[in-house]
């Protein structure tokens, strides 16, 4: 969650620096929000699984891995959105 929070702050700062459009702000806010929401859900799933079983359970591992994979997929999507928004603005500087 800390890494995602730092990256969100960087994206927000870049948004102000590059004066992104309203539509670009909307995209940034949505992907940041989705990553944070999925991170909270991932934490909830992991906590519930740990509460349910202390010994190794293959299904518990699948539940934890799947929740973590959801966060990873959304993080990848957010990077793609960030590249689409910021790459042209950064390249315009050169």
């Amino acid at each position: 969650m800390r890494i995602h929070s730092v990256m969100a702050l960087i994206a927000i700062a870049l948004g102000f620096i590059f004066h992104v459009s309203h539509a670009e702000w909307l995209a940034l806010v949505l992907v940041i929000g989705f990553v944070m929401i999925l991170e909270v859900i991932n934490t909830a799933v992991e906590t519930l699984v740990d509460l349910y079983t202390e010994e190794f359970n293959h299904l518990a591992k699948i539940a934890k891995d799947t929740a973590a994979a959801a966060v990873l997929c959304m993080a990848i999507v957010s990077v793609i959105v960030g590249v689409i928004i910021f790459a042209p603005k950064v390249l315009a500087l050169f």
Side-chain angles (χ1 to χ4, degrees), residues 30-63:
L30 284 174
V31 295
I32 289 169
F34 281 139
V35 169
M36 296 302 182
I37 289 166
L38 285 173
E39 192 66 64
V40 170
I41 291 170
N42 179 46
T43 302
V45 168
E46 289 188 359
T47 303
L48 282 171
V49 168
D50 289 343
L51 180 65
Y52 179 74
T53 181
E54 291 183 11
E55 55 204 44
F56 179 80
N57 182 314
H58 182 67
L59 294 176
K61 180 183 181 330
I62 291 172

Side-chain angles (χ1 to χ4, degrees), residues 18-34:
F18 288 111
H19 304 287
V20 297
S21 70
H22 291 289
E24 291 168 331
W25 272 118
L26 178 62
L28 286 174
V29 169
L30 284 174
V31 295
I32 289 169
F34 281 139

